[in-house]
Amino acid sequence: MLDIAVGSYGEVPEHPVHRSMAPRGADVAPDTVDMGYILNAKTDVWSDNVVELYEEAVARQWSATRDIPWGELQELPDDVEHAMCQLCTVLTEVEMIAADLPAKWMWRMSHDFIEAKMFLCMQIMDEARHAEVFRKRALSNGGGLLISRTAPTDVEKRILRMCMQDEARHVAYGTMHLRYAIEKDPDVAEEIHEALDHGESVLIDFGSAPDISSALAMLLPGGADDIEKKGFPLAQKLSKKQLTSYLARCERAGISRPERTTIPLDLLGIDPESIRPAGVAT
Amino acid sequence: MKIDTIAFVEALAAEMNAHPERYHILGHADMVGTMVVQRAGGDFRARVTFAELRCDGVDEVEAGEPTDWSLVGPLDAWHEMFDDVLANGRATGLQTINSLALLGDRIELVGDDPMGLDKFSRFNQTLQAFLDGAARLAVSA
C-alpha cells in the first residue's frame, strides 16, 4: 500500500468532494450514487501510521487453530482451570465488543479513507480471532464458559502473547489517530476527555469486578494457596502498570489526564510526573 | 560465549539472519531496542536494530542512546532467561521475555515513548524468536 500511494492516488483529501463508492483516484461520474457517509473529514479517521499498521497487520496474521500448540495443553488443578476459564469468558466477551465497535463506524466512513477502513477490517478480523482463541481455550480443557496476564502453561502464554501483538497495533492506531485529530482541531480534545471520563469509570468498575479480579489473583501466583499473600498484590501491581501505561498513551496522544482523571492515582501509587515523558507535545 | 558481550548479540543476529523462514510467518518487524545487562564494573548495553525479517544492526552503546525500548536487568536475570532457553530450546514459563517484562521485577521494560514501548508488544513474537536463537549457540555466564 505504501508503494502505490503515489501521485493523486496517494493524496488523502482533508474533505472528500463526493460521497460515492468510487475508489480514491478514480474518475467519478456526476450521477454517481451518494452513499450517505457521515465521516467525511480526514481528522475523523486518520492517523499518520495507519498504512504502515495495515501492512503490519496483514503480515502478522495468525491462526487460532494452526499456530497454538493445543496438543501441549496440560491438565490443571481445578482452581487454576476454573480461574482460566473465567478469564477466557471475560476476554471472549470483550473481544467481540472490540469487533463490534469498529464495525459500527466503518460503513459510515468515506471510501477516500480506504487505508483506515482496511485497517479497521484487520482489527475486526483480529478481534474475531481473539474471541475464537479464548472460547476454544475455555472449552478445551474440561472447563467451559463461566459467569458472564497471566497464564498457567505455555499454551496460554502463547495465546496471550499473540493477542497482545494485535492489541498493541490497535492501540498504536488509536493513539496516533487521537493525536492527528487534536492537532488538526484542538476543540475535539474536550469531546475526547468526556469520552475518557466515562471510559475510565467503566474500566475501574470492570477491573474491580470480583469475577475478573479474583480470577487474575488466582492465576498470578498459580493457584488459591497464595491468593492473599501474592495474588492480590500482584494483581494490583498489574493494574498500576496498566493504568500508568494508559495515561502515558493519553499524554502521547495530546490528552493530558492527570488533572482530570478519577482513577485513584494516590491509592494505586501512580506518580503523575512519571507519565509525562520528555518531548511530548500537548 | 558470554551473554554480556557484543559477540553474543551479534551471534543471535547472525542466527536470525540465517533463518528467515523462522521469521517469515511472524511478519516484518521494524524496531530498535536496547538490551541492558547490569553487572559489576559497568552495565553492558547492546542496541539491536530489526528491519523486516532481519536483525540489521548490533552495536554497543552508551547510556542515553534513544531507542524504542530498553530491557534492563541484572546479569543473573538475563542468565536465568538464557539458561531456560538452552534447557528447553525456547523460553518457557516465566522466562519468556513478555512474562519478564510484564512482572518487571527481574527484567524491566523501559522507554520514554509509549509508541516505542508498543513496538515491544507489536513485535514481541519476533523478539522472542530472536532470543530463543540462543538455544542454537554455545552460551556461558
Side-chain angles (χ1 to χ4, degrees), chain A residues 23-160:
Chain A
R24 189 180 69 227
D27 290 331
V28 184
D31 57 348
T32 303
V33 174
D34 184 320
M35 298 294 285
Y37 300 127
I38 60 170
L39 297 176
N40 295 301
K42 188 178 176 186
T43 55
D44 289 337
V45 303
W46 199 254
S47 78
D48 286 334
N49 58 354
V50 73
V51 183
E52 169 195 337
L53 289 171
Y54 171 74
E55 298 283 14
E56 184 180 315
V58 171
R60 300 185 85 86
Q61 290 295 294
W62 52 280
S63 161
T65 301
R66 192 182 56 240
D67 295 322
I68 302 299
W70 294 107
E72 297 174 19
L73 203 55
Q74 299 160 21
E75 190 171 341
L76 296 169
D78 286 348
D79 54 355
V80 177
E81 180 62 28
H82 189 89
M84 191 66 212
C85 289
Q86 179 59 66
L87 182 64
C88 286
T89 301
V90 173
L91 289 173
T92 306
E93 287 174 359
V94 298
E95 298 295 356
M96 282 317 299
I97 293 293
D100 288 346
L101 284 174
K104 166 183 160 180
W105 293 107
M106 265 185 61
W107 68 273
R108 301 166 189 236
M109 290 165 55
S110 166
H111 269 203
D112 275 18
F113 309 131
I114 186 169
E115 293 91 343
K117 296 186 87 160
M118 290 161 68
F119 176 78
L120 292 181
C121 289
M122 297 308 296
Q123 179 172 344
I124 292 166
M125 183 61 233
D126 292 342
E127 306 297 5
R129 184 172 55 251
H130 300 174
E132 176 191 352
V133 80
F134 291 124
R135 187 175 177 85
K136 276 183 171 162
R137 172 59 191 85
L139 298 174
S140 61
N141 211 22
L145 293 168
L146 301 178
I147 309 165
S148 207
R149 177 38 255 259
T150 56
T153 76
D154 287 338
V155 177
E156 288 89 353
K157 282 186 194 304
R158 186 172 174 84
I159 290 172
L160 293 172

Side-chain angles (χ1 to χ4, degrees), chain A residues 56 149 165 241 249 252, chain B residues 98 101-102 118 122 125:
Chain A
E56 184 180 315
R149 177 38 255 259
Q165 290 194 154
K241 200 166 194 170
R249 278 158 183 75
R252 184 67 165 84
Chain B
N98 185 42
L102 180 69
D118 276 347
R122 280 161 55 189
Q125 196 70 13

Side-chain angles (χ1 to χ4, degrees), chain A residues 220-242:
Chain A
L220 281 162
D225 292 347
D226 286 326
I227 190 168
E228 294 293 341
K229 191 176 167 191
K230 292 184 183 172
F232 284 112
L234 277 170
Q236 183 166 357
K237 189 177 171 186
L238 272 188
S239 290
K240 177 182 175 183
K241 200 166 194 170
Q242 189 179 28

Side-chain angles (χ1 to χ4, degrees), chain A residues 253-273:
Chain A
I255 306 271
S256 189
R257 295 289 296 168
E259 313 305 326
R260 180 152 174 166
T261 184
T262 54
I263 294 171
L265 302 183
D266 286 351
L267 194 65
L268 287 160
I270 297 174
D271 174 9
E273 291 308 313

